[in-house]
Amino acid sequence: MYIKVEDTTAVRWFLTSLVSIFFREVETRNSHTVPVRGPVILVCAPHWSQFVDAVLVMSTNRRPIKFLTAAKTMRRRFVGAFSRYLGCIPVERPQDLATKGKGTISAATGATTVVGKDTQFTKDLTPGSGFAVDGHVFKVEKVISDTEAEVRDGPSEGFKDVAFKVYPRLNHDDLYEMVYDALKRGEAIGIFPEGGSHDGSMLLPFKAGVAQMALGAMAAGSPPVRLIPVGLTYFHGHRFRSRAMVEFGDPISIEQDMVEAYRNGGDAKRGAFDKLLKRVQEAVEAVTITAPDYETLKLLWAGRRLYKPENLELSTEQTQQLTIRFSEAYVQLKNEPEVQALRSDLAVYNDALRAAGLHDHEVVQTTVLQESEIFSGVLQKGFLVLIQTVVLIPFMVFGLPILFACRVVSTFKARAAAASSAVKEHGRDVVATWKVLTALMIVPICLVLYSILLGQLIHPRLTGISWCLLPIIMLGSLHLWDHYTDLVKQLRGLLALMISKQQTVELYYQRCKLKRRIRALVNRAADDMGIDRMFDEKDFMGEADHGLELDELLSM
């Protein structure tokens, strides 16, 4: 059952408020590409933050969006209530209905025949259902007997006498009809074509459902459907007060001949499916940042940071675009000896930073200062940190139980998610979600207890006043906390330089050499690839390290 669009305004406002509290900054790029009216499908990726992804997209677009949501989620008491109220469309997933298989199974590497022991394949399996072994699913093509079945693709590594789960074959006709009806009414549908959330650094293969929905809706009489690629980028997105970027790509229109091919069925239908799915995936890849693994992604961030002109403040949008360029260039140049050597040296530099307890920006901000400037900086920032610490102590005390509960619950859920999935590496994709959900449960309880405590300790009238004022004061303290954490980082860098100037200067010298190598490589790569340089030489003029050698830095 659908909810009227106007009825969802309050819930959407509430969810948008949660985004502004959890994230320090959210930037949006090209949101104007989403049509104001008419049927659209927002194709969002990567699905790196479970429930937060959908809320983030909704918060950056005024148009109400009905997201396809796991039916298992819709059955949950709290999240399910919000999902149903927003008119989300339930999707039943085989893994949510999986049952433990009777007996054990074996299969050789690459073999498409699965042999069972004490199994009942004829009862448990049908063509289109599946076996699940250690998170890997094998689609059943044919059930031969109670102890033998054929699968579509054999395992990359054989197994013998292992327990398994049975994934049922599901009929999604009702789901598609709900989507078609929504698109016929000119509504906006949101979908994550990778399926479930994950924390891998690469996009997962897109499922064909997005092509089926677009082509099927138009074949069923919907007005022309446009697909909007949406790229989500998080900068340490599992952390409280981190940053995020949402980029909308150009709309993808569907030609009428593709719809006719879909109607014709057979090979023509499969061809239309494949063609549209390829276009969608390429469009989404153009607005996302990916890397072969998480370590490579971190090194790309480090390279981007060193390349950036130090005298320019980049917006989140510019930072994302720069990272995309680095990612695309790395794919083409990763096998070059110069790039491999640079990657190795970047890893050494990052390890040295961790060993010294410093961040890159702290090395930059402190090394070129005179001793008198360092001393006065320590005094000034130390005084500000002291004053703000005194001001923030009550809120730190109030917030400790909340932060502790969020940390414990999200860590437990992340470990459980990683253990139960073959596509999750560390379970980071569920951390932000569970921090938000835990805070939603804990914060009201803490506010009531704090209000009662203040009323008992000071004056009974403070109970009601505190209940009204504490949320406002705590929200205001978030901005002070952002400034406070920035000050602490700056003070830490100054203290490190004061205590061990030579070590910090050597890191800075190492950084200077890396920076010059990266800029030379980037400029050469841009020229070879025929793309415009993002920055001109004038953008790098006036940087403090220009022409300095180690002895000169040590003598400053």
Side-chain angles (χ1 to χ4, degrees):
M1 180 177 178
Y2 286 93
I3 306 295
K4 291 183 179 180
V5 168
E6 56 267 28
D7 293 337
T8 67
T9 303
V11 174
R12 292 176 67 240
W13 176 85
F14 174 72
L15 294 175
T16 300
S17 300
L18 291 182
V19 167
S20 65
I21 292 172
F22 187 84
F23 292 103
R24 180 173 180 172
E25 180 183 5
V26 176
E27 283 205 24
T28 307
R29 187 169 187 263
N30 295 333
S31 60
H32 65 275
T33 62
V34 181
V36 177
R37 59 183 62 85
V40 297
I41 300 177
L42 284 85
V43 188
C44 312
H47 200 357
W48 275 347
S49 192
Q50 207 178 30
F51 305 144
V52 174
D53 287 338
V55 176
L56 191 63
V57 175
M58 284 190 289
S59 71
T60 54
N61 193 283
R62 292 184 178 181
R63 187 167 179 178
I65 305 167
K66 296 181 183 295
F67 272 95
L68 270 67
T69 306
K72 179 181 178 181
T73 299
M74 301 281 279
R75 289 190 285 267
R76 291 182 177 179
R77 180 176 300 177
F78 186 76
V79 178
F82 276 100
S83 300
R84 291 189 297 273
Y85 195 81
L86 289 168
C88 293
I89 300 174
V91 182
E92 202 67 79
R93 302 183 302 179
Q95 61 265 38
D96 297 332
L97 302 176
T99 57
K100 184 178 180 181
K102 182 181 178 181
T104 60
I105 58 175
S106 303
T109 300
T112 57
T113 300
V114 176
V115 178
K117 181 179 180 181
D118 299 326
T119 52
Q120 47 184 24
F121 289 168
T122 56
K123 180 180 178 181
D124 293 341
L125 302 174
T126 59
S129 60
F131 296 103
V133 178
D134 294 331
H136 298 282
V137 181
F138 305 96
K139 289 286 185 181
V140 175
E141 288 285 329
K142 181 180 179 182
V143 179
I144 300 173
S145 68
D146 274 338
T147 58
E148 189 175 357
E150 295 286 338
V151 295
R152 185 176 304 169
D153 300 304
S156 57
E157 185 176 343
F159 48 82
K160 183 176 177 61
D161 294 332
V162 298
F164 65 100
K165 288 185 177 181
V166 175
Y167 278 30
R169 179 181 181 179
L170 299 177
N171 187 327
H172 284 135
D173 289 346
D174 290 342
L175 162 67
Y176 289 125
E177 286 302 321
M178 293 174 70
V179 172
Y180 298 161
D181 289 343
L183 293 173
K184 288 177 184 178
R185 291 193 296 269
E187 296 178 353
I189 299 294
I191 184 172
F192 293 93
E194 296 172 287
S197 64
H198 65 97
D199 59 349
S201 58
M202 296 291 289
L203 291 176
L204 299 180
F206 282 13
K207 299 185 183 299
V210 61
Q212 168 69 46
M213 291 170 190
L215 292 170
M218 290 183 64
S222 167
V225 176
R226 283 178 283 186
L227 299 102
I228 312 295
V230 183
L232 304 175
T233 303
Y234 294 98
F235 302 91
H236 306 292
H238 59 290
R239 297 179 183 174
F240 182 60
R241 303 302 287 170
S242 55
R243 291 177 169 86
M245 173 80 188
V246 182
E247 181 172 3
F248 297 86
D250 294 328
I252 300 172
S253 298
I254 301 174
E255 296 82 5
Q256 193 59 39
D257 60 345
M258 293 180 67
V259 180
E260 292 302 324
Y262 173 86
R263 287 196 180 107
N264 292 335
D267 291 339
K269 180 178 180 178
R270 283 191 292 272
F273 259 42
D274 294 342
K275 181 179 178 181
L276 181 58
L277 195 62
K278 182 180 179 182
R279 284 172 59 186
V280 169
Q281 184 143 2
E282 288 175 349
V284 172
E285 288 173 351
V287 292
T288 57
I289 298 170
T290 57
D293 52 65
Y294 188 64
E295 288 302 315
T296 300
L297 188 60
K298 289 197 295 185
L299 289 172
L300 289 175
W301 288 341
R304 175 206 67 201
R305 187 176 62 241
L306 293 174
Y307 173 72
K308 180 190 81 70
E310 292 174 7
N311 298 321
L312 293 180
E313 286 294 330
L314 302 187
S315 65
T316 304
E317 175 186 331
Q318 290 174 311
T319 301
Q320 189 225 24
Q321 288 302 305
L322 185 57
T323 310
I324 289 176
R325 289 195 178 198
F326 265 75
S327 178
E328 292 173 345
Y330 179 79
V331 171
Q332 297 190 37
L333 305 174
K334 62 182 179 181
N335 294 323
E336 290 192 8
E338 184 181 359
V339 174
Q340 292 179 348
L342 188 56
R343 171 177 175 145
S344 176
D345 292 342
L346 271 172
V348 170
Y349 174 67
N350 281 339
D351 290 341
L353 285 176
R354 281 193 291 270
L358 291 171
H359 293 289
D360 179 70
H361 66 87
E362 294 168 341
V363 174
V364 177
Q365 292 170 354
T366 59
T367 307
V368 296
L369 297 176
Q370 301 290 338
E371 288 187 4
S372 58
E373 293 175 312
I374 296 171
F375 184 72
S376 63
V378 168
L379 290 179
Q380 179 188 17
K381 296 188 186 302
F383 177 74
L384 291 174
V385 166
L386 179 62
I387 295 299
Q388 292 188 18
T389 300
V390 173
V391 173
L392 286 170
I393 279 177
F395 304 103
M396 292 179 183
V397 173
F398 287 172
L400 276 177
I402 300 170
L403 293 175
F404 179 76
C406 291
R407 179 68 177 269
V408 170
V409 172
S410 62
T411 300
F412 173 78
K413 292 293 185 179
R415 289 174 180 170
S420 62
S421 173
V423 298
K424 299 181 193 291
E425 297 178 6
H426 304 287
R428 290 192 186 95
D429 55 306
V430 306
V431 171
T433 292
W434 281 104
K435 283 182 177 178
V436 171
L437 292 177
T438 305
L440 284 174
M441 292 183 286
I442 297 295
V443 168
I445 296 172
C446 289
L447 288 176
V448 170
L449 293 177
Y450 296 155
S451 299
I452 294 173
L453 183 62
L454 287 172
Q456 293 293 323
L457 294 177
I458 302 176
H459 195 282
R461 289 185 178 179
L462 274 180
T463 301
I465 297 174
S466 300
W467 171 248
C468 297
L469 291 182
L470 271 178
I472 299 173
I473 296 173
M474 292 186 75
L475 286 175
S477 69
L478 288 178
H479 298 287
L480 181 59
W481 175 259
D482 292 337
H483 185 255
Y484 175 77
T485 54
D486 290 341
L487 274 176
V488 170
K489 291 174 183 177
Q490 294 168 16
L491 178 61
R492 184 175 62 181
L494 288 169
L495 288 173
L497 185 58
M498 178 181 286
I499 295 169
S500 180
K501 182 174 181 179
Q502 180 164 348
Q503 180 187 20
T504 310
V505 169
E506 288 174 352
L507 277 172
Y508 185 66
Y509 185 65
Q510 186 178 357
R511 183 186 191 277
C512 291
K513 292 194 294 184
L514 283 171
K515 182 173 64 176
R516 291 166 187 172
R517 288 169 60 191
I518 289 170
R519 289 180 180 174
L521 178 62
V522 168
N523 290 339
R524 178 177 64 81
D527 295 340
D528 292 345
M529 296 168 65
I531 59 176
D532 294 333
R533 298 180 183 181
M534 195 165 176
F535 304 110
D536 298 324
E537 287 300 321
K538 63 181 181 181
D539 294 321
F540 300 107
M541 297 296 292
E543 294 189 355
D545 68 283
H546 182 70
L548 294 179
E549 300 297 333
L550 180 59
D551 291 341
E552 295 176 275
L553 288 168
L554 287 172
S555 65
M556 292 179 65

